[in-house]
């Protein structure tokens, strides 16, 4: 988990600043396990054909969000940050 700490912090900061990105994270969080699995399959198929650094970064972002324990931490931190207004 320590390795992901930097990524978690960056996602939380970005979501606090960008409503659209926050909406994506919260939408994935609200999906059922089956919906997430289906979305993950589609995401892997899509990104398997792409190779730019931006594509790799986007794939990493989504891969992090599909880890339930990490996503839960991200969503909780987003909510706390928004509640504090910072």
């Amino acid at each position: 988990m320590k390795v992901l700490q930097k990524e978690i912090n960056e996602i939380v900061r970005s979501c606090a600043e960008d409503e659209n990105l926050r909406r994506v994270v919260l939408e994935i969080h609200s999906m059922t396990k089956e919906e997430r699995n289906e979305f993950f399959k589609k995401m892997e198929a899509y990104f398997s054909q792409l190779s730019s650094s931006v594509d790799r970064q986007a794939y990493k972002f989504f891969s992090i969000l599909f880890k339930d324990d990490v996503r839960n931490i991200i969503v909780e931190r987003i909510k706390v940050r928004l509640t504090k207004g910072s």
Side-chain angles (χ1 to χ4, degrees):
M1 181 73 101
K2 211 173 193 181
V3 174
L4 290 176
Q5 199 59 48
K6 179 180 172 187
E7 288 85 355
I8 290 170
N9 291 342
E10 180 63 23
I11 291 170
V12 171
R13 183 195 61 73
S14 297
C15 286
E17 296 173 1
D18 185 334
E19 184 178 341
N20 292 324
L21 184 60
R22 182 170 60 244
R23 193 174 308 137
V24 168
V25 171
L26 296 176
E27 184 66 32
I28 290 171
H29 187 65
S30 70
M31 291 177 179
T32 65
K33 183 79 168 170
E34 294 78 24
E35 290 170 327
R36 274 194 301 276
N37 288 339
E38 185 64 29
F39 185 74
F40 186 74
K41 289 177 193 174
K42 291 177 182 178
M43 182 204 68
E44 283 196 317
Y46 174 77
F47 283 106
S48 70
Q49 301 174 23
L50 306 173
S51 62
S52 76
S53 64
V54 172
D55 297 328
R56 286 191 301 274
Q57 185 177 6
Y59 179 78
K60 184 176 181 180
F61 166 78
F62 281 110
S63 295
I64 290 169
L65 290 181
F66 283 100
K67 295 176 182 173
D68 292 341
D69 55 339
V70 176
R71 187 184 61 259
N72 289 333
I73 291 168
I74 291 170
V75 169
E76 189 59 38
R77 287 190 185 175
I78 290 169
K79 289 178 180 178
V80 167
R81 191 164 179 164
L82 291 175
T83 301
K84 289 182 178 181
S86 54

